[in-house]
Amino acid sequence: STSLIYLLIAFSQGAATGAGVVVSQYLGAEDRKRTHDAVHTAVAISIILGLVLTVGGVLLSRQILIWMNTPKEVLGDSVTYLRIYSGGLLFNMASGILNAAGNSKRSLYYLGYASVTNIILDIVFINILGMGVEGAAIATDISQVVSCILAIGYLVKVNEPYKIKLKDIKLNKSTASRIIKIGLPTGIQNMTIS
């Protein structure tokens, strides 16, 4: 399942690059209105992309793994892991905005918290509770939720042009078009490399 996960992450990171470039340009130009639109459009795109990847991962995991000639001995566990892992893809979104705003240190801290959470939960779910593959996938999903909550919590409270107002999350067509024009080629390139 690792190859497929890297493929999904590669595409998501490419798409996030598009959002990061657009947000960075507007922040650099000190255009508060367009920064606001870009941040909220980026979040909306992340939610849509997360939902598509989640549904696709849950529904198509078995077939994709069969196409990849996954050995029968591990196919069942691989499908289980991918389906549960796919459930957490929706929560893998907010750090790109922090990076675009030049706040990569905070993003790194949140990644660190998520990593520590994942390690601790792996020990609890796998070694103590004996949950095996399911436990590993659930631990990963929970760690992604932790990272997302921390990042969104910060972005909702910060007094900066990239502050998120939950009620303002929507797609701005022209901004979404710019983000996709920059992010889609990068996402495809990343997938090809992966």
Side-chain angles (χ1 to χ4, degrees):
S1 59
T2 302
S3 300
L4 192 52
I5 288 169
Y6 284 158
L7 191 69
L8 295 173
I9 291 171
F11 180 75
S12 298
Q13 287 175 337
T17 298
V21 167
V22 173
V23 171
S24 295
Q25 288 173 340
Y26 292 144
L27 278 169
E30 297 182 9
D31 187 333
R32 294 183 75 87
K33 166 79 171 87
R34 286 187 172 166
T35 299
H36 177 86
D37 289 346
V39 166
H40 291 82
T41 298
V43 172
I45 289 171
S46 294
I47 291 169
I48 293 166
L49 182 60
L51 288 171
V52 168
L53 291 175
T54 294
V55 171
V58 169
L59 297 178
L60 301 175
S61 290
R62 175 173 289 282
Q63 187 57 53
I64 292 170
L65 287 166
I66 290 171
W67 288 338
M68 292 172 57
N69 294 320
T70 303
K72 289 181 182 179
E73 305 82 49
V74 296
L75 181 63
D77 283 342
S78 297
V79 170
T80 299
Y81 184 86
L82 267 179
R83 285 184 174 158
I84 295 170
Y85 177 86
S86 295
L89 289 172
L90 178 61
F91 301 100
N92 193 4
M93 63 179 192
S95 62
I97 294 168
L98 290 170
N99 291 335
N103 200 340
S104 56
K105 186 193 268 187
R106 187 171 292 274
S107 178
L108 183 62
Y109 289 151
Y110 297 157
L111 179 62
Y113 296 143
S115 297
V116 170
T117 301
N118 195 0
I119 291 167
I120 292 169
L121 291 178
D122 276 341
I123 292 168
V124 171
F125 291 158
I126 297 169
N127 293 350
I128 297 172
L129 299 177
M131 294 174 67
V133 169
E134 293 93 346
I138 292 168
T140 300
D141 283 352
I142 291 172
S143 70
Q144 288 178 346
V145 170
V146 166
S147 178
C148 183
I149 288 171
L150 290 170
I152 293 290
Y154 174 77
L155 290 167
V156 167
K157 292 177 185 174
V158 70
N159 189 21
E160 295 288 345
Y162 53 87
K163 176 178 182 159
I164 291 178
K165 295 180 182 173
L166 298 178
K167 65 180 177 56
D168 291 346
I169 296 174
K170 62 180 182 254
L171 286 176
N172 175 296
K173 287 183 183 177
S174 63
T175 306
S177 176
R178 283 195 70 204
I179 290 171
I180 291 167
K181 281 181 185 172
I182 295 168
L184 189 60
T186 307
I188 292 169
Q189 177 185 355
N190 287 353
M191 284 178 70
T192 304
I193 292 166
S194 179

